[in-house]
Amino acid sequence: MNLAANLRERLSVPIIAAPLFIISNPDLVLAQCKAGVVGSFPALNARPATMLDEWLARIREEIDAHDRAHPDRPAAPFAVNQIVHRTNARLERDLELCVKHRAPIVITSLGAREDVNQAVHSYGGIVLHDVINDRFARKAIEKGADGPIAVAAGGHAGGLSPFAFVQQLRTWWDGPLALSGAIATGANVLAAQIMGADFAYIGSPFIATEEANAHADYKKMIVDSDADDIVYTNLFTGVHGNDLRPSVVRSGLDPDNLPTSDPSAMNFAEPREGANVKPWRDIWGSGQGIGAVTHITPTADLVARLVAEYGAAGARTVQFSSSRAAPSETRA
């Protein structure tokens, strides 16, 4: 069985929950894993740095306890996101803790390094790498990543159409592939698979869950907004991404006239210099698919909705295929 198939059989629906800066915490990760999707969090969310050891120990212990109590439906694996950027002074120590606790999946972003991949592979872990174009995907695979996460129109977004991106990647890559970008329903998940991806990579819908470490106003803004309320800019973090228009307006800025930021100013060690407006605290990110998010719910309920929609979409696909085949069979 290949790597993608081995991972899929452990999931209730082929979803990897994206690591959400500040928002993803052990409560959210555990709820995601117990519901049957890969739960994830950025290592940098554990602050101070010593807290990462505690978080990983707790997640491991609670998943093990869940699996003992529910051998018929074990939890999905969890993932840790590592920012592989020169300004992330925590990377080496955080990676050591991932090795210590044998994190099943490590998601790397903003840099591909062979030594990081080798460390995760040393205990049998899987490395998936965020990419926004074909060149970065090839570089990640060359350096030993097990598969790319094709980032299209999500919170931190690339500029390629998901159709074009997956199509191009599949001309040379037949290993694990996740697709990110405006995926918020079970039908979207099935569509990603039909396009050629193995997994859907979903972030924004999980912001509006009870377990998420997001301000109540942020959750409500997700529920009240739709695709027209998204602004694409690199001003706030140095990386192009999608932010909620109401949060930009509330911060006193004109979302239709935002300047362009210098990407070289991106720094994960120091607070970003500039105006009093800060990303994540004042400016709230979101993908374009939030129109499907209509309530703040427990994570288990969100995943249950996605599972039901995924099954219904599959049934419709079979019905459509059958109806299309019938005329040709009649003519034959």
Side-chain angles (χ1 to χ4, degrees), residues 3-140:
L3 185 59
N6 184 52
L7 180 55
R8 275 200 308 270
E9 72 171 4
R10 301 165 65 186
L11 307 179
S12 60
V13 63
I15 290 173
I16 298 172
L20 303 169
F21 189 56
I22 297 177
I23 295 165
S24 299
N25 59 10
D27 288 341
L28 180 57
V29 171
L30 285 164
Q32 290 166 336
C33 292
K34 292 176 183 179
V37 302
V38 174
S40 73
F41 70 96
L44 292 176
N45 278 11
R47 296 170 185 263
T50 53
M51 188 176 292
L52 180 59
D53 195 20
E54 300 172 17
W55 280 21
L56 288 167
R58 178 192 165 192
I59 291 169
R60 268 293 185 192
E61 290 169 4
E62 291 199 26
I63 285 180
D64 288 345
H66 172 89
D67 291 352
R68 288 192 298 270
H70 306 281
D72 56 325
R73 49 181 182 89
F78 69 91
V80 180
N81 176 219
Q82 296 287 4
I83 303 298
V84 188
H85 189 270
R86 56 182 174 77
T87 63
N88 181 12
R90 286 182 46 174
L91 177 61
E92 305 302 330
R93 177 55 180 160
D94 287 353
L95 183 60
E96 289 175 3
L97 290 172
C98 284
V99 174
K100 172 185 174 181
H101 292 279
R102 303 173 71 87
I105 302 169
V106 171
I107 298 170
T108 52
S109 307
L110 299 174
R113 279 175 39 182
E114 292 182 12
D115 60 322
V116 172
N117 297 334
Q118 290 168 356
V120 178
H121 290 156
S122 70
Y123 61 85
I126 298 169
V127 179
L128 301 177
H129 186 71
D130 280 347
V131 298
I132 59 170
N133 57 43
D134 187 81
R135 180 170 66 88
F136 288 160
R138 291 177 184 270
K139 182 177 179 181

Side-chain angles (χ1 to χ4, degrees), residues 186-195 308-326:
N188 296 159
V189 176
L190 182 61
Q193 286 190 294
I194 292 172
M195 288 165 56
E309 293 170 344
Y310 179 78
R316 289 196 303 272
T317 303
V318 171
Q319 184 179 28
F320 176 75
S321 299
S322 299
S323 66
R324 295 288 293 175

Side-chain angles (χ1 to χ4, degrees), residues 199-258:
F199 307 99
Y201 194 67
I202 299 180
S204 300
F206 287 103
I207 298 172
T209 59
E210 293 178 357
E211 295 85 355
N213 182 37
H215 193 283
D217 290 346
Y218 189 0
K219 297 181 183 184
K220 185 175 186 301
M221 194 177 291
I222 292 285
V223 170
D224 293 341
S225 300
D226 58 28
D228 290 336
D229 296 305
I230 301 300
V231 177
Y232 185 67
T233 179
N234 78 338
L235 174 63
F236 305 110
T237 66
V239 179
H240 273 98
N242 291 310
D243 296 304
L244 287 163
R245 177 179 290 266
S247 72
V248 177
V249 172
R250 189 177 63 177
S251 298
L253 300 173
D254 180 357
D256 295 317
N257 292 283
L258 295 173

